[in-house]
Amino acid sequence: MAATSVSCFVLALMLRMAASIHSAPQLGWGSYNAFGVHVTDAEVRATADQMVSLGLAELGYHFLVIDDQWQSLDRAANGSLVPDPSKFPQGIPPLADYLHSKGLGLGLYSDAGPVTCSGTLPGHLGHEKVDAETFAQWKIDYLKSDNCYPQGKNTTNVDKYEIDWLKSGVQGGVVQDPPERERYIPMVNALEAVRPVRNITFEMCLYGWDHVESWGASSGDHLWRATQDIHDTWDSITYNLDCLDTDRFYEASGSSTGWGYADSLMVGHSLSEVEYRTHFALWAAIKSPLMIGFDLRGRNRSDSSVVTVSNKDLIDINQDTLGKPARCRMGCTWSTEKVTCGEWWGAQADASSSLFKWPPSGSKSVEVWSGPLSGDGMVVVVVNRADVAKTVSFDWSLDAAVPNGNYQLYDVWQHRYVRNISSPSKFTAEESLSSHAHLAFRLDLR
Ligand code: GLA
């Protein structure tokens, strides 16, 4: 009898945890790439207005996540966090209400240490219960929890260029002191405790450290950042991309295990439209959460960045119910070099060497990425990572892992079927692919 009730309890817990995990990668907007650490109430409201009027909310972009420095230096007498009155003069609940009135969700930022990454403002370590209760009371929908300074400012074993390998317990990944799992799980539990009144999606922004892929999901997590901060360079984008393609993250990312996150989109900044379309197509195919990262104010629907992130065919691929990330199959970085990932900036290289380069460029070939979709379909993305134009030719079966069969080939940028193909057979593009350009197809079984 006792054994039965224990197994019922375990089953109920498992079901509750499974139900609490999002079934598709999260979609939204994050303030950090657009505003750094300086976003205000007025800017978040204006962004919410634009999410609706640009049609992004309708496409599924839901969360608006406010990054670091929304807080005041000191907590209130009752221990709760206090928003910076110069940025959020009305406090957080009216802003949450405003977003909710538009069908959007509000996210806030904190840190699994005593201070956040900017170095002085309060993190949640040791305050998990009061913070989770405050967030629930404020009607927050999403919490991003960063991984800086676990023992206070300048006391981490990891800084921008160096890791204290001994302290990091480097066997299979960087670990801070105290370890990530000891610092994140109390917040996971605190969020679970408030779940009956508020469902708060949890982003564990811990750069893939401490093997988060092995315990993050089983702790009821929703998404875990697998990568370093993205920067507005081609090499940074492809470094984060290659990172998600390592076995440990690929295997662990999914609808029942939480989503491996390659960081917010850089679309809308200084790279070319060609590069950002490639970036968006690949983030969609690898099932990374898609968080827009540019200032939406003053943009209209024909703005090229808005058009890129509004590609419904790619959003549908990202949200496909099978939830299986695409992988690199041909020309991949891993086929010629070891992909280091989840390490700090250049930690694998000798920073004093003139040969030091971070992030590494990775593959300079034409790559073929592919992954299964529901209904026996496939997504195939072909990307030219070389600095010059290249011809594209590959075999659907051998190089793109497309199961044998007859398919209709749908071009997700032309938004139409372009031809019928069979696998195995060779595909040769009519025109060469310019540097950093891509082709993205959905293959529907005929
Ligand atoms: C870290 C995170 C970023 C951002 C900044 C804010 O670098 O990885 O995403 O939140 O902190 O300080």
Side-chain angles (χ1 to χ4, degrees):
M1 186 65 181
T4 312
S5 52
V6 167
S7 54
C8 283
F9 171 74
V10 171
L11 185 64
L13 195 68
M14 282 168 63
L15 288 173
R16 199 159 71 92
M17 271 168 31
S20 76
I21 290 175
H22 281 225
S23 59
Q26 293 74 13
L27 302 176
W29 174 90
S31 68
Y32 188 62
N33 288 356
F35 291 94
V37 291
H38 302 294
V39 77
T40 64
D41 178 284
E43 288 157 348
V44 178
R45 284 173 194 252
T47 303
D49 295 346
Q50 284 290 78
M51 295 287 282
V52 175
S53 62
L54 294 173
L56 297 167
E58 201 181 327
L59 284 166
Y61 291 102
H62 179 68
F63 298 109
L64 270 66
V65 183
I66 299 171
D67 215 280
D68 203 353
Q69 295 199 11
W70 63 270
Q71 321 87 321
S72 295
L73 199 54
D74 296 315
R75 287 174 176 270
N78 68 359
S80 70
L81 290 162
V82 179
D84 179 340
S86 68
K87 293 176 176 173
F88 298 94
Q90 302 174 47
I92 301 298
L95 181 58
D97 288 343
Y98 187 74
L99 266 56
H100 295 155
S101 75
K102 294 181 173 286
L104 299 166
L106 180 61
L108 285 181
Y109 166 102
S110 189
D111 189 287
V115 291
T116 70
C117 285
S118 55
T120 50
L121 299 171
H124 62 66
L125 191 65
H127 301 269
E128 293 81 5
K129 185 171 183 292
V130 65
D131 286 357
E133 285 170 0
T134 305
F135 296 146
Q137 211 185 345
W138 288 352
K139 301 196 199 131
I140 294 309
D141 305 282
Y142 183 113
L143 174 65
K144 169 177 176 178
S145 175
D146 219 329
N147 185 24
C148 283
Y149 308 124
Q151 297 181 29
K153 178 119 173 99
N154 298 331
T155 56
T156 176
N157 55 321
V158 184
D159 73 15
K160 262 195 178 329
Y161 296 101
E162 280 172 28
I163 293 176
D164 181 333
W165 294 105
L166 219 57
K167 270 204 225 154
S168 285
V170 71
Q171 287 305 331
V174 182
V175 179
Q176 293 220 51
D177 177 20
E180 279 71 5
R181 65 190 84 187
E182 274 178 31
R183 291 179 288 109
Y184 278 89
I185 286 177
M187 185 46 105
V188 169
N189 294 338
L191 292 175
E192 273 304 306
V194 299
R195 202 174 296 285
V197 291
R198 193 93 205 144
N199 188 34
I200 300 177
T201 295
F202 193 37
E203 175 190 339
M204 305 175 81
C205 179
L206 46 57
Y207 337 125
W209 292 357
D210 195 12
H211 283 290
V212 60
E213 73 282 2
S214 66
W215 53 268
S218 61
S219 318
D221 185 40
H222 297 269
L223 66 158
W224 31 271
R225 241 230 354 243
T227 69
Q228 296 307 324
D229 287 11
I230 196 165
H231 289 259
D232 193 27
T233 65
W234 175 254
D235 285 350
S236 169
I237 290 169
T238 51
Y239 178 73
N240 280 13
L241 173 74
D242 288 341
C243 174
L244 265 287
D245 192 39
T246 49
D247 285 350
R248 64 183 182 124
F249 294 138
Y250 170 79
E251 299 294 345
S253 178
S255 61
S256 58
T257 48
W259 299 100
Y261 181 28
D263 206 355
S264 328
L265 296 160
M266 265 297 166
V267 178
H269 293 264
S270 69
L271 302 189
S272 69
E273 184 181 342
V274 163
E275 287 170 321
Y276 285 141
R277 283 188 170 210
T278 301
H279 170 29
F280 188 71
L282 286 162
W283 255 235
I286 64 171
K287 306 283 187 288
S288 170
L290 300 174
M291 304 297 281
I292 297 168
F294 62 95
D295 186 354
L296 295 175
R297 295 171 309 161
R299 311 258 183 165
N300 57 44
R301 285 184 191 231
S302 56
D303 176 285
S304 67
S305 306
V306 174
V307 171
T308 297
V309 299
S310 301
N311 186 317
K312 186 169 179 329
D313 288 322
L314 282 168
I315 294 170
D316 287 348
I317 284 168
N318 177 260
Q319 301 285 296
D320 180 71
T321 51
L322 193 63
K324 201 73 193 143
R327 293 211 83 161
C328 187
R329 318 276 178 181
M330 186 189 102
C332 316
T333 301
W334 54 254
S335 63
T336 53
E337 60 195 79
K338 182 177 183 316
V339 176
T340 57
C341 179
E343 314 295 0
W344 200 238
W345 322 100
Q348 290 292 303
D350 174 4
S352 60
S353 153
S354 57
L355 296 174
F356 172 72
K357 178 182 179 308
W358 192 94
S361 311
S363 168
K364 289 279 187 185
S365 306
V366 171
E367 289 184 333
V368 177
W369 292 69
S370 74
L373 298 173
S374 54
D376 293 325
M378 292 286 287
V379 53
V380 176
V381 181
V382 184
V383 51
N384 178 9
R385 285 179 62 167
D387 300 329
V388 292
K390 292 272 185 184
T391 54
V392 169
S393 184
F394 62 89
D395 185 277
W396 290 108
S397 166
L398 289 177
D399 304 315
V402 173
N404 291 4
N406 299 317
Y407 297 86
Q408 285 184 293
L409 193 62
Y410 182 92
D411 183 312
V412 304
W413 289 105
Q414 294 185 42
H415 307 292
R416 65 182 182 91
Y417 288 103
V418 286
R419 67 173 89 160
N420 291 335
I421 63 113
S422 300
S423 178
S425 74
K426 214 168 175 70
F427 172 84
T428 304
E430 283 155 19
E431 292 172 12
S432 62
L433 199 55
S434 62
S435 171
H436 301 174
H438 79 289
L439 302 168
F441 302 114
R442 198 183 72 221
L443 276 61
D444 296 337
L445 201 59
R446 280 193 284 146

